[in-house]
């Protein structure tokens, strides 16, 4: 189960324990107390994560964290993987 909307693997985040973060899918607000456009967007659309959005990948997701020096590619790949996992779960077994 994913704990983020944007593709961050919260379980692997080194700041998780320091910040008391449980992942945005389990919190009303991000650990920093502000708002997250990606989280808000997914929730408004009723989506578990960005990979399920018909507009994936959008500019907001692709640019998230870039100014702070984060590479968006791993998050985008993770959303794609989550999307594939959901598709596999929906396939009828033979």
């Amino acid at each position: 189960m994913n704990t983020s909307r944007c593709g961050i693997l919260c379980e692997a985040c080194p700041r998780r324990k320091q910040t008391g973060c449980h992942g945005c899918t389990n919190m009303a607000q991000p650990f920093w107390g502000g708002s997250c456009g990606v989280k808000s967007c997914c929730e408004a659309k009723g989506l578990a994560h960005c990979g399920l959005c018909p507009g994936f990948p959008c500019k907001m997701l692709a640019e998230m964290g870039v100014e702070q020096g984060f590479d968006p590619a791993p998050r985008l790949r993770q959303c794609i993987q989550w999307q594939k996992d959901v598709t596999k779960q929906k396939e009828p077994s033979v």
Side-chain angles (χ1 to χ4, degrees):
M1 180 177 168
N2 55 303
T3 54
S4 78
R5 307 275 186 205
C6 66
I8 290 174
L9 290 175
C10 299
E11 299 81 16
C13 178
R15 297 181 296 172
R16 185 175 185 174
K17 288 185 181 182
Q18 295 170 329
T19 61
C21 182
H22 302 287
C24 73
T25 61
N26 300 308
M27 300 169 74
Q29 289 185 310
F31 69 87
W32 63 86
S35 65
C36 174
V38 171
K39 173 180 170 46
S40 298
C41 182
C42 281
E43 290 173 355
K45 293 177 179 179
L47 301 174
H49 57 81
C50 292
L52 300 175
C53 184
F56 174 82
C58 70
K59 182 178 179 179
M60 179 171 41
L61 179 64
E63 293 179 357
M64 181 182 142
V66 172
E67 285 185 14
Q68 292 80 21
F70 294 101
D71 179 7
R75 289 185 298 96
L76 298 174
R77 283 192 300 268
Q78 186 59 54
C79 285
I80 292 167
Q81 184 58 53
W82 286 339
Q83 180 185 48
K84 289 177 183 177
D85 293 346
V86 168
T87 302
K88 285 180 186 177
Q89 290 175 3
K90 290 182 180 179
E91 290 177 0
S93 51
V94 180

mmCIF file with all atom_site columns, all heavy atoms in Angstrom, residues 87-94:
data_model
loop_
_atom_site.group_PDB
_atom_site.id
_atom_site.type_symbol
_atom_site.label_atom_id
_atom_site.label_alt_id
_atom_site.label_comp_id
_atom_site.label_asym_id
_atom_site.label_entity_id
_atom_site.label_seq_id
_atom_site.pdbx_PDB_ins_code
_atom_site.Cartn_x
_atom_site.Cartn_y
_atom_site.Cartn_z
_atom_site.occupancy
_atom_site.B_iso_or_equiv
_atom_site.pdbx_formal_charge
_atom_site.auth_seq_id
_atom_site.auth_comp_id
_atom_site.auth_asym_id
_atom_site.auth_atom_id
_atom_site.pdbx_PDB_model_num
ATOM 1  N N   . THR A 1 87 ? -3.483  -2.216  -11.951 1.00 0.00 ? 87 THR A N   1
ATOM 2  C CA  . THR A 1 87 ? -3.984  -2.848  -13.172 1.00 0.00 ? 87 THR A CA  1
ATOM 3  C C   . THR A 1 87 ? -3.907  -4.365  -13.049 1.00 0.00 ? 87 THR A C   1
ATOM 4  O O   . THR A 1 87 ? -4.846  -5.072  -13.422 1.00 0.00 ? 87 THR A O   1
ATOM 5  C CB  . THR A 1 87 ? -3.179  -2.363  -14.402 1.00 0.00 ? 87 THR A CB  1
ATOM 6  O OG1 . THR A 1 87 ? -3.285  -0.932  -14.471 1.00 0.00 ? 87 THR A OG1 1
ATOM 7  C CG2 . THR A 1 87 ? -3.707  -2.978  -15.681 1.00 0.00 ? 87 THR A CG2 1
ATOM 8  N N   . LYS A 1 88 ? -2.807  -4.878  -12.521 1.00 0.00 ? 88 LYS A N   1
ATOM 9  C CA  . LYS A 1 88 ? -2.648  -6.331  -12.342 1.00 0.00 ? 88 LYS A CA  1
ATOM 10 C C   . LYS A 1 88 ? -3.697  -6.887  -11.383 1.00 0.00 ? 88 LYS A C   1
ATOM 11 O O   . LYS A 1 88 ? -4.208  -7.979  -11.583 1.00 0.00 ? 88 LYS A O   1
ATOM 12 C CB  . LYS A 1 88 ? -1.251  -6.665  -11.819 1.00 0.00 ? 88 LYS A CB  1
ATOM 13 C CG  . LYS A 1 88 ? -0.177  -6.548  -12.849 1.00 0.00 ? 88 LYS A CG  1
ATOM 14 C CD  . LYS A 1 88 ? 1.177   -6.888  -12.251 1.00 0.00 ? 88 LYS A CD  1
ATOM 15 C CE  . LYS A 1 88 ? 2.292   -6.639  -13.232 1.00 0.00 ? 88 LYS A CE  1
ATOM 16 N NZ  . LYS A 1 88 ? 3.610   -6.888  -12.645 1.00 0.00 ? 88 LYS A NZ  1
ATOM 17 N N   . GLN A 1 89 ? -4.006  -6.141  -10.336 1.00 0.00 ? 89 GLN A N   1
ATOM 18 C CA  . GLN A 1 89 ? -4.999  -6.586  -9.359  1.00 0.00 ? 89 GLN A CA  1
ATOM 19 C C   . GLN A 1 89 ? -6.390  -6.676  -9.974  1.00 0.00 ? 89 GLN A C   1
ATOM 20 O O   . GLN A 1 89 ? -7.209  -7.486  -9.558  1.00 0.00 ? 89 GLN A O   1
ATOM 21 C CB  . GLN A 1 89 ? -5.038  -5.643  -8.164  1.00 0.00 ? 89 GLN A CB  1
ATOM 22 C CG  . GLN A 1 89 ? -3.814  -5.720  -7.291  1.00 0.00 ? 89 GLN A CG  1
ATOM 23 C CD  . GLN A 1 89 ? -3.837  -4.670  -6.181  1.00 0.00 ? 89 GLN A CD  1
ATOM 24 O OE1 . GLN A 1 89 ? -4.791  -3.927  -6.027  1.00 0.00 ? 89 GLN A OE1 1
ATOM 25 N NE2 . GLN A 1 89 ? -2.762  -4.625  -5.414  1.00 0.00 ? 89 GLN A NE2 1
ATOM 26 N N   . LYS A 1 90 ? -6.659  -5.839  -10.975 1.00 0.00 ? 90 LYS A N   1
ATOM 27 C CA  . LYS A 1 90 ? -7.982  -5.816  -11.603 1.00 0.00 ? 90 LYS A CA  1
ATOM 28 C C   . LYS A 1 90 ? -8.139  -6.879  -12.689 1.00 0.00 ? 90 LYS A C   1
ATOM 29 O O   . LYS A 1 90 ? -9.245  -7.172  -13.088 1.00 0.00 ? 90 LYS A O   1
ATOM 30 C CB  . LYS A 1 90 ? -8.255  -4.434  -12.205 1.00 0.00 ? 90 LYS A CB  1
ATOM 31 C CG  . LYS A 1 90 ? -8.461  -3.368  -11.159 1.00 0.00 ? 90 LYS A CG  1
ATOM 32 C CD  . LYS A 1 90 ? -8.772  -2.047  -11.806 1.00 0.00 ? 90 LYS A CD  1
ATOM 33 C CE  . LYS A 1 90 ? -8.990  -0.962  -10.764 1.00 0.00 ? 90 LYS A CE  1
ATOM 34 N NZ  . LYS A 1 90 ? -9.279  0.333   -11.385 1.00 0.00 ? 90 LYS A NZ  1
ATOM 35 N N   . GLU A 1 91 ? -7.017  -7.442  -13.167 1.00 0.00 ? 91 GLU A N   1
ATOM 36 C CA  . GLU A 1 91 ? -7.085  -8.441  -14.229 1.00 0.00 ? 91 GLU A CA  1
ATOM 37 C C   . GLU A 1 91 ? -7.701  -9.734  -13.687 1.00 0.00 ? 91 GLU A C   1
ATOM 38 O O   . GLU A 1 91 ? -7.353  -10.186 -12.595 1.00 0.00 ? 91 GLU A O   1
ATOM 39 C CB  . GLU A 1 91 ? -5.692  -8.750  -14.769 1.00 0.00 ? 91 GLU A CB  1
ATOM 40 C CG  . GLU A 1 91 ? -5.092  -7.602  -15.560 1.00 0.00 ? 91 GLU A CG  1
ATOM 41 C CD  . GLU A 1 91 ? -3.671  -7.894  -16.038 1.00 0.00 ? 91 GLU A CD  1
ATOM 42 O OE1 . GLU A 1 91 ? -3.142  -8.985  -15.750 1.00 0.00 ? 91 GLU A OE1 1
ATOM 43 O OE2 . GLU A 1 91 ? -3.105  -7.029  -16.715 1.00 0.00 ? 91 GLU A OE2 1
ATOM 44 N N   . PRO A 1 92 ? -8.628  -10.317 -14.451 1.00 0.00 ? 92 PRO A N   1
ATOM 45 C CA  . PRO A 1 92 ? -9.226  -11.584 -14.001 1.00 0.00 ? 92 PRO A CA  1
ATOM 46 C C   . PRO A 1 92 ? -8.197  -12.704 -14.058 1.00 0.00 ? 92 PRO A C   1
ATOM 47 O O   . PRO A 1 92 ? -7.353  -12.755 -14.963 1.00 0.00 ? 92 PRO A O   1
ATOM 48 C CB  . PRO A 1 92 ? -10.358 -11.819 -15.005 1.00 0.00 ? 92 PRO A CB  1
ATOM 49 C CG  . PRO A 1 92 ? -10.030 -10.983 -16.197 1.00 0.00 ? 92 PRO A CG  1
ATOM 50 C CD  . PRO A 1 92 ? -9.155  -9.844  -15.708 1.00 0.00 ? 92 PRO A CD  1
ATOM 51 N N   . SER A 1 93 ? -8.237  -13.564 -13.074 1.00 0.00 ? 93 SER A N   1
ATOM 52 C CA  . SER A 1 93 ? -7.304  -14.701 -13.087 1.00 0.00 ? 93 SER A CA  1
ATOM 53 C C   . SER A 1 93 ? -7.854  -15.786 -13.986 1.00 0.00 ? 93 SER A C   1
ATOM 54 O O   . SER A 1 93 ? -9.061  -15.976 -14.127 1.00 0.00 ? 93 SER A O   1
ATOM 55 C CB  . SER A 1 93 ? -7.092  -15.235 -11.670 1.00 0.00 ? 93 SER A CB  1
ATOM 56 O OG  . SER A 1 93 ? -8.329  -15.481 -11.057 1.00 0.00 ? 93 SER A OG  1
ATOM 57 N N   . VAL A 1 94 ? -6.965  -16.499 -14.638 1.00 0.00 ? 94 VAL A N   1
ATOM 58 C CA  . VAL A 1 94 ? -7.360  -17.512 -15.618 1.00 0.00 ? 94 VAL A CA  1
ATOM 59 C C   . VAL A 1 94 ? -7.387  -18.866 -14.977 1.00 0.00 ? 94 VAL A C   1
ATOM 60 O O   . VAL A 1 94 ? -6.684  -19.226 -14.138 1.00 0.00 ? 94 VAL A O   1
ATOM 61 C CB  . VAL A 1 94 ? -6.394  -17.506 -16.820 1.00 0.00 ? 94 VAL A CB  1
ATOM 62 C CG1 . VAL A 1 94 ? -6.802  -18.538 -17.836 1.00 0.00 ? 94 VAL A CG1 1
ATOM 63 C CG2 . VAL A 1 94 ? -6.356  -16.136 -17.443 1.00 0.00 ? 94 VAL A CG2 1
#
